Amino acid sequence: MEYINNELCLGPLKKPLLPLVANYMRPIYVYDLDSVAQRYQAMSQALKGTRLFFAVKSNPNPGVLQKLKSLGAGADVVSLGEIKRALECGFSPQDIVYSGVGKTKFELAEALKLGIYQINVESLPELERIGVLARELNKKAQVALRLNPDVDINTHPYIATGLKDNKFGMERSMVPALVKCLKSYSDSIDLVGVSLHLGSQMLEFSGYDEALKRLKTVYLELQAQFPTLKKFDFGGGLGIFYDRVDLQLEESLLQKYAQITLENLSDLNCELQAEPGRWLVAHCGALITQVQYIKETSAKTFVIVDAGMNHLIRPSLYEATHRIEPLKRKDAAFVVDVVGPICESSDFFAKEISLTKVQEGDFVAIMDSGAYGYSMASVYNLQELPLEICI
């Protein structure tokens, strides 16, 4: 983001946001597709030879998905709804990797009928369910085992997924039972991959390096028994900075992440897969909201806007920081809490921040909300969902 003539602009082509509120009705998520393309190309270049499957859960907007499809991305999905959205946006079943811990019989049957490229299995009962369903449908399921390395990556506990007390993945001690199951369903299951995902907002990589080393050993042991095993999915989770703009440091972190990945895995001579979400789209998005009231109390000043935790829940759920910028910048500033209209004390976007002076009717943008913003929105208090605009 950048101010030009005191107007907030978004993306590498510096597109002004103020014209978008000319006929304002309710909060607006705006996504800059040039920013999406720039980030995708940077990651694709760093992770040479890796197939990138975009994490649809982070932003299922059709315009964003169509842009990523045009750039060569696949789709990482976690529900039948996301499969349908991906197909509607031009992805083929062979572009789709299906993850998630709670796949129903109906969802799995539909995925098998479609011929989804790969199903990432999260438990032994799920593997058995797939074996039975594929046999009944006379299909050969292509599965990867999501294995849990029990590694901590120092992120928020709600978005850590690689520890043994998380619901995700399977402990390495489960491998013998998984092998037995795979052999008993050899007519209906092909083991094609090993999958890993440690969590989100990873900014330090010692844990990731250790996880790759642990699972590489398991991969080689499994490959000796299953010659169909030719894919290693190292997940997503590369973090960004929400509290500041430092794209240069993010680029250097990407290079470090890529270096560790390729040094560990390139000699496997297999298809490498990644599931990026946040790194690709977070910076591309902003939530535009209008100031309704400036409320002063003896303790503090509140800027009350018409968007709330129902539109962007990350600050309430994860104690996440998002920069807040006025669409039209002025000179003076004041210290405020920026809050929404929802009937919960946790309905806030920021507390005790210095904000350029705004008044009733002005607009502000909640930055870096292109990932896990609209996709996690709700209609709590029967508030309408925001609009979405791609520019």
Side-chain angles (χ1 to χ4, degrees), residues 31 57-59 242 277-279 281-285 312 314 322 368-375:
Y31 311 119
K57 62 181 173 288
S58 66
N59 188 326
Y242 283 97
R278 183 192 319 274
W279 201 90
V281 297
H283 289 321
C284 88
L312 179 63
R314 296 191 71 257
H322 284 264
D368 306 320
S369 51
Y372 305 101
Y374 189 96
S375 66

Side-chain angles (χ1 to χ4, degrees), residues 144-163:
L145 302 178
R146 179 171 176 178
L147 297 174
N148 190 327
D150 193 28
V151 167
D152 190 359
I153 58 165
N154 299 316
T155 189
H156 192 283
Y158 289 0
I159 52 177
T161 59
L163 293 165

Side-chain angles (χ1 to χ4, degrees), residues 47-95:
L47 290 166
K48 282 192 183 353
T50 300
R51 191 166 180 195
L52 304 182
F53 292 86
F54 173 65
V56 174
K57 62 181 173 288
S58 66
N59 188 326
N61 176 269
V64 171
L65 293 181
Q66 288 163 5
K67 183 66 174 179
L68 285 162
K69 171 68 175 96
S70 75
L71 294 166
D76 168 60
V77 303
V78 293
S79 71
L80 183 57
E82 289 188 356
I83 290 174
K84 290 178 177 177
R85 175 63 60 84
L87 294 173
E88 289 165 3
C89 293
F91 293 89
S92 76
Q94 285 294 297
D95 295 324

Side-chain angles (χ1 to χ4, degrees), residues 135-323:
R135 189 175 280 169
E136 290 172 352
L137 293 167
N138 197 28
K139 299 283 187 180
K140 199 74 176 284
Q142 309 294 296
V143 308
L145 302 178
R146 179 171 176 178
L147 297 174
N148 190 327
D150 193 28
V151 167
D152 190 359
I153 58 165
N154 299 316
T155 189
H156 192 283
Y158 289 0
I159 52 177
T161 59
L163 293 165
K164 63 184 178 183
D165 58 354
N166 297 135
K167 69 178 181 179
F168 301 95
M170 296 170 284
E171 293 178 78
R172 288 176 294 161
S173 61
M174 288 288 298
V175 168
L178 293 166
V179 167
K180 183 179 178 182
C181 182
L182 286 165
K183 289 183 174 177
S184 69
Y185 289 103
S186 59
D187 61 316
S188 58
I189 297 178
D190 276 338
L191 176 63
V192 298
V194 165
S195 171
L196 159 75
H197 188 65
L198 295 179
S200 294
Q201 267 303 87
M202 184 165 49
L203 296 168
E204 192 277 328
F205 306 119
S206 59
Y208 175 65
D209 185 35
E210 176 61 24
L212 292 180
K213 286 178 167 58
R214 291 183 187 184
L215 289 195
K216 181 178 180 178
T217 301
V218 179
Y219 178 94
L220 292 169
E221 291 169 355
L222 286 169
Q223 194 177 48
Q225 300 184 69
F226 298 94
T228 53
L229 179 54
K230 294 178 180 176
K231 302 171 188 173
F232 195 113
D233 180 348
F234 55 87
L238 182 59
I240 66 162
F241 297 110
Y242 283 97
D243 59 345
R244 62 193 188 275
V245 180
D246 197 337
L247 300 182
Q248 189 173 352
L249 181 54
E250 287 184 6
E251 172 69 23
S252 69
L253 287 172
L254 169 64
Q255 296 302 325
K256 182 67 174 173
Y257 172 72
Q259 179 187 353
I260 289 170
T261 302
L262 298 177
E263 281 179 355
N264 276 290
L265 303 179
S266 59
D267 63 339
L268 290 178
N269 296 315
C270 67
E271 177 180 297
L272 296 182
Q273 303 172 343
E275 303 166 8
R278 183 192 319 274
W279 201 90
L280 296 180
V281 297
H283 289 321
C284 88
L287 175 58
I288 299 173
T289 179
Q290 187 178 45
V291 176
Q292 299 302 310
Y293 303 99
I294 308 297
K295 178 178 178 178
E296 295 185 6
T297 72
S298 59
K300 56 177 61 184
T301 299
F302 295 95
V303 173
I304 304 174
V305 297
D306 60 348
M309 62 184 287
N310 56 318
H311 294 156
L312 179 63
I313 200 171
R314 296 191 71 257
S316 302
L317 185 61
Y318 302 133
E319 301 170 322
T321 299
H322 284 264
R323 290 173 298 111

